[in-house]
Amino acid sequence: QVQLVESGGGLVQAGGSLRLSCAASGRTISTYTMGWFRQAPGKEREFVAAISWNGGNGYYADSVKGRFTISRDNAENTVSLQMNSLKPEDTAVYYCASHRQRFVIGGLKTYEYAYWGQGTQVTVSP
C-alpha cells in the first residue's frame, strides 16, 4: 500500500516559518511529480505547489509565490515545503500528494494525483 505521511505542521505567528515534510512508502516517488495542496474549513482543496519528477520544475499558486519553496530528496523518498512569511490566510490542512503518472512535467490539478496523505494542520495566528 502506498502511504504518504506529512509532518511539520503546527501553530505559528504571522511572519514565521514552518517546514513541512512528506515521507513516502510503498512507492518510490523519484519518477513522479509531487504536490502540496491545502484545504481550509468550508473551502475547496486548492493547489499550493508541485515539483516535477526530475526536480527541474517547480510550480506555485500565485498566493504563495515568493514565500513557499518546494523541494525533494529522492534518496530519502521525501518531499518538503518550506513556508516563510506565513499569513493567517495560509491556515489550512496541508496535504502531500503523488501524481498518477510517471515522468510527467507539471501537474496542478487535484484529479491528476493518485495518492494522498492524511494532512497536517497549519495554523497561523495574527
Side-chain angles (χ1 to χ4, degrees):
Q1 181 180 350
V2 177
Q3 291 185 321
L4 303 175
V5 180
E6 302 95 338
S7 62
L11 175 64
V12 65
Q13 293 183 353
S17 299
L18 286 173
R19 185 176 178 86
L20 306 183
S21 295
C22 173
S25 62
R27 172 191 259 197
T28 299
I29 65 171
S30 61
T31 56
Y32 294 88
T33 289
M34 298 294 293
W36 286 96
F37 297 78
R38 67 187 182 187
Q39 187 168 22
K43 303 293 184 180
E44 295 182 344
R45 188 169 298 185
E46 65 176 356
F47 168 78
V48 176
I51 186 167
S52 62
W53 71 272
N54 61 2
N57 297 84
Y59 308 90
Y60 300 92
D62 289 341
S63 59
V64 306
K65 284 182 178 178
R67 299 189 297 120
F68 292 8
T69 303
I70 188 170
S71 62
R72 66 192 304 153
D73 187 338
N74 288 336
E76 296 294 329
N77 213 35
T78 60
V79 62
S80 298
L81 184 69
Q82 179 66 46
M83 309 164 64
N84 297 328
S85 301
L86 284 163
K87 304 175 181 179
E89 304 94 279
D90 296 319
T91 296
V93 176
Y94 283 70
Y95 298 90
C96 173
S98 182
H99 202 277
R100 64 185 181 184
Q101 295 182 346
R102 302 176 71 183
F103 306 116
V104 171
I105 305 299
L108 280 64
K109 303 295 184 181
T110 59
Y111 61 77
E112 297 183 59
Y113 289 79
Y115 300 101
W116 297 81
Q118 292 298 116
T120 185
Q121 177 70 47
V122 172
T123 302
V124 184
S125 62

